[in-house]
Amino acid sequence: MSVSQTQSGAYALVLAEETGDRRIPIIIGPVEAQAIAIQLEGLKPPRPLTHDLFKNIAVAFDINISEVIIYKLEEGIFFSELVCEMGTQEIRIDSRTSDAVALALRFKCPIYTTEEILRKAGIILDPESPSEVEFGRDIATTSSSKSESEFERYTVNELTDMMNESINNEDYERASRIRDEINRRKK
């Protein structure tokens, strides 16, 4: 995920081609970015977030999401669907792409798109190009540099307590910055 350079307060979710160099940048809001980042970073909130609740309900009723398909791009908006399995029945459910990705991470299922969408929206990030480096600026990199000055005076034990407190207060952005500082020190 990257901070969006085009929309204030938004993030760019950058999906990479599994066996290629193309990337698809999808603009998402901060709440959706948080739901995805929490799962990517392995943070465990004290109470289930909406996507965790959805997964718990699906599992309770023996429903599995087997894949996510980004099937359409219209006026800069990506359209997705969840492919769900319930016994032998397959059900397709329309979804916002950000929600579909958050659920795909929780169900550990693949995310697919079409060649047409890759042609229309796919980009190849070139680390030598200043505009693409800025576009691809990683949230973790930004957070790490901020956390080094913000948390450097604390011990690892104090940081662990602060991280747990942040998680309990549902301040996951701060918790991830603290976690990054702890991991930086372990290297």
Side-chain angles (χ1 to χ4, degrees), residues 61-128:
F61 288 94
D62 200 27
I63 300 169
N64 181 51
I65 298 177
S66 59
E67 61 189 45
V68 164
I69 302 171
I70 303 170
Y71 66 91
K72 183 167 78 171
L73 173 61
E74 190 173 283
E75 296 180 20
I77 299 171
F78 292 89
F79 292 77
S80 297
E81 64 183 3
L82 308 171
V83 179
C84 303
E85 297 171 343
M86 190 167 76
T88 59
Q89 190 176 14
E90 182 180 279
I91 303 164
R92 292 175 179 252
I93 301 171
D94 188 42
S95 174
R96 294 185 315 165
T97 300
S98 57
D99 290 329
V101 170
L103 289 168
L105 291 170
R106 285 161 174 79
F107 280 88
K108 296 178 175 44
C109 70
I111 301 168
Y112 299 111
T113 193
T114 66
E115 182 62 34
E116 179 184 355
I117 290 174
L118 280 170
R119 273 196 311 273
K120 283 167 66 173
I123 59 172
I124 297 176
L125 297 180
D126 177 8
E128 301 303 316

Side-chain angles (χ1 to χ4, degrees), residues 5-186:
Q5 301 298 313
T6 59
Q7 293 184 18
S8 178
Y11 294 86
L13 170 64
V14 182
L15 299 178
E17 197 175 17
E18 190 174 59
T19 58
D21 296 328
R22 293 178 291 185
R23 309 284 187 262
I24 299 175
I26 302 170
I27 303 301
I28 62 175
V31 173
E32 294 82 3
Q34 182 182 47
I36 292 167
I38 285 169
Q39 189 66 29
L40 286 173
E41 295 173 6
L43 296 174
K44 299 292 181 213
R47 299 175 300 154
L49 300 177
T50 304
H51 296 95
D52 301 314
L53 175 63
F54 181 92
K55 182 181 181 201
N56 293 343
I57 291 169
V59 168
F61 288 94
D62 200 27
I63 300 169
N64 181 51
I65 298 177
S66 59
E67 61 189 45
V68 164
I69 302 171
I70 303 170
Y71 66 91
K72 183 167 78 171
L73 173 61
E74 190 173 283
E75 296 180 20
I77 299 171
F78 292 89
F79 292 77
S80 297
E81 64 183 3
L82 308 171
V83 179
C84 303
E85 297 171 343
M86 190 167 76
T88 59
Q89 190 176 14
E90 182 180 279
I91 303 164
R92 292 175 179 252
I93 301 171
D94 188 42
S95 174
R96 294 185 315 165
T97 300
S98 57
D99 290 329
V101 170
L103 289 168
L105 291 170
R106 285 161 174 79
F107 280 88
K108 296 178 175 44
C109 70
I111 301 168
Y112 299 111
T113 193
T114 66
E115 182 62 34
E116 179 184 355
I117 290 174
L118 280 170
R119 273 196 311 273
K120 283 167 66 173
I123 59 172
I124 297 176
L125 297 180
D126 177 8
E128 301 303 316
S129 168
S131 64
E132 290 177 344
V133 169
E134 185 172 314
F135 170 82
R137 186 167 51 106
D138 190 347
I139 292 171
T141 303
T142 304
S143 299
S144 294
S145 59
K146 182 178 180 182
S147 68
E148 286 175 23
S149 61
E150 184 179 0
F151 301 115
E152 66 186 9
R153 63 187 167 118
Y154 296 101
T155 67
V156 171
N157 288 339
E158 290 171 324
L159 289 171
T160 302
D161 291 342
M162 290 167 60
M163 182 176 68
N164 290 333
E165 180 183 334
S166 295
I167 291 170
N168 287 333
N169 292 331
E170 299 183 3
D171 186 353
Y172 303 114
E173 186 174 321
R174 184 170 191 258
S176 66
R177 288 195 318 267
I178 296 169
R179 188 220 48 230
D180 291 346
E181 175 67 14
I182 292 169
N183 289 340
R184 184 185 66 80
R185 291 182 187 189
K186 288 180 181 176

